[in-house]
Amino acid sequence: MVNWGKLLKNGKAMYLAYDQGLEHGPESEFNDLNVDPLYILKIAKEGKYNAVIYHKGIVEKYSNEIKKSKVPLIFKLNGKTKLQSGEPISAQIATVEEAKKAGAAAVGYTIYVGSKYESKMIEQFEQIQREAHAINLPVIAWMYPRGEKVKNDVSREMISYAARVGLEIGADVVKIKYGGNAKDLQWAVKSAGRTKVVIAGGTKKGEKEFLEDAREIMKSGAAGLAVGRNIWKNENPLELSKKLREIIFE
Ligand code: FBP
C-alpha cells in the first residue's frame, strides 16, 4: 500500500507542474515572474495544490523554502531537453533515495511509449517503482506516446494504451494528455483500472477553454489535473487556480 498523504483529497488531485525549464527551456516558457521557482511555490501554496512538481536541481537549491511551505513535493526523476533529436528518451537524473531524503511525497518518471528506447525507460521505471513501493512512496508515470509509430499521440488508441501500460507496469498515477474527446478519455480512464489518471494542461490556451476542458476531464472519471503553463503563465494564477479547484473537488 502506498502512502497517499495529501496527494489525493477524496480521491481527487490538483498538481502544479514545473519541469518545463528542462523540458522546453526558459525562452519559450518563462517571463520575469515565472522564471523563479519560488513564484511557483507561492502559487502552489496559496492556490492549495495537492503537490508541486520539481526536478532535482530545484529541489536541492530551494529545499529550505520547499520544506517550509509544506506543499507536498513530487520529485521528478528523469527529464530531457527539447533540443534532443531522434527517438525520444528521458534520462534519469535522480534516485528514489534522493527523493526520500528531500522529503518527497511521490516520485515522477516519464516514459515515451512507442519510442525505440521504450524498454530502457520501462526497465529504469521498474527499479524506481520497486524502490519507491518498498518505502510506500507513490509513483507517478508521465505516459507520453511518441516515436516513429505514433502518428497522433492524443488519439483514443494512444491515450488508452498509455494509461493501460501505466497500470501494467505498476504506476499509482498516470499522467496523460487529453485530446479533446471526453469519450476517448473515459475509455483511457477505464483502461487504467485502479491506477489513477491525471491530465497534463498543455500549451497555454484561453481561460474559458481551459476550464471547459477541465470540466470534461473530471466528468470522464479522471482524478484531476497536473497542470503547469496554463496556470503560471496566467496573469491571475490564484484566481484561475480557485476556479480549477472548484471544478476538480466539487
Ligand atoms: P503543462 O501543463 O505545462 O503542459 O505541463 C505538463 C507536462 O507534462 C510537464 O510536466 C512537461 O514538462 C510537459 O508537459 C511535457 O510536454 P511535452 O513533452 O509535450 O513537451
Side-chain angles (χ1 to χ4, degrees):
M1 258 311 247
V2 294
N3 176 13
W4 289 103
K6 293 184 179 150
L7 286 179
L8 291 175
K9 190 181 148 202
N10 300 331
K12 306 281 170 62
M14 183 166 113
Y15 304 142
L16 191 60
Y18 192 64
D19 53 355
Q20 293 83 352
L22 172 59
E23 301 286 335
H24 302 153
E27 187 56 26
S28 53
E29 305 295 12
F30 297 158
N31 59 26
D32 279 342
L33 269 181
N34 62 32
V35 71
D36 180 1
L38 293 180
Y39 176 69
I40 307 305
L41 191 62
K42 190 169 156 26
I43 299 173
K45 179 153 181 78
E46 292 175 14
K48 302 189 178 115
Y49 283 80
N50 296 100
V52 65
I53 301 165
Y54 289 134
H55 274 129
K56 173 180 180 165
I58 291 181
V59 173
E60 287 182 353
K61 301 281 187 294
Y62 299 83
S63 66
N64 288 344
E65 290 92 339
I66 295 171
K67 281 189 185 134
K68 214 173 133 204
S69 77
K70 297 209 162 66
V71 177
L73 167 69
I74 298 174
F75 196 133
K76 187 79 198 302
L77 298 183
N78 68 343
K80 71 156 187 60
T81 74
K82 73 169 181 194
L83 306 176
Q84 190 193 56
S85 51
E87 292 278 303
I89 177 161
S90 188
Q92 187 171 352
I93 51 174
T95 62
V96 171
E97 189 56 32
E98 283 165 324
K100 184 185 160 202
K101 275 197 191 132
V107 290
Y109 186 91
T110 300
I111 297 176
Y112 295 114
V113 185
S115 162
K116 184 173 146 194
Y117 304 110
E118 178 198 272
S119 59
K120 174 145 197 219
M121 287 175 274
I122 289 182
E123 256 174 42
Q124 226 165 48
F125 179 87
E126 186 274 332
Q127 192 170 342
I128 284 166
Q129 195 264 12
R130 192 149 28 85
E131 288 171 13
H133 280 189
I135 53 169
N136 303 332
L137 210 57
V139 180
I140 303 174
W142 275 233
M143 301 298 291
Y144 292 161
R146 217 161 282 183
E148 209 190 311
K149 287 201 180 146
V150 180
K151 302 294 173 235
N152 174 4
D153 66 336
V154 290
S155 68
R156 178 183 172 93
E157 184 188 3
M158 286 303 137
I159 62 171
S160 58
Y161 205 169
R164 184 68 185 201
V165 175
L167 167 67
E168 306 272 355
I169 63 177
D172 302 297
V173 179
V174 286
K175 177 170 174 180
I176 60 172
K177 295 194 181 185
Y178 176 55
N181 183 316
K183 286 232 164 69
D184 293 352
L185 181 56
Q186 245 175 44
W187 177 235
V189 170
K190 206 164 192 183
S191 303
R194 289 188 176 163
T195 292
K196 301 263 175 202
V197 176
V198 296
I199 306 298
T203 49
K204 186 165 180 305
K205 43 190 126 149
E207 219 177 285
K208 203 165 155 241
E209 192 192 340
F210 171 67
L211 293 171
E212 207 53 39
D213 280 353
R215 265 182 218 105
E216 291 302 316
I217 286 167
M218 295 315 293
K219 275 194 223 144
S220 307
L225 280 87
V227 53
R229 291 167 287 182
N230 274 284
I231 296 294
W232 45 253
K233 278 187 166 185
N234 189 283
E235 284 192 353
N236 295 305
L238 291 179
E239 256 176 53
L240 186 56
S241 300
K242 183 170 181 279
K243 289 179 189 159
L244 180 63
R245 205 164 62 236
E246 282 165 6
I247 292 171
I248 293 180
F249 298 104
E250 75 186 2

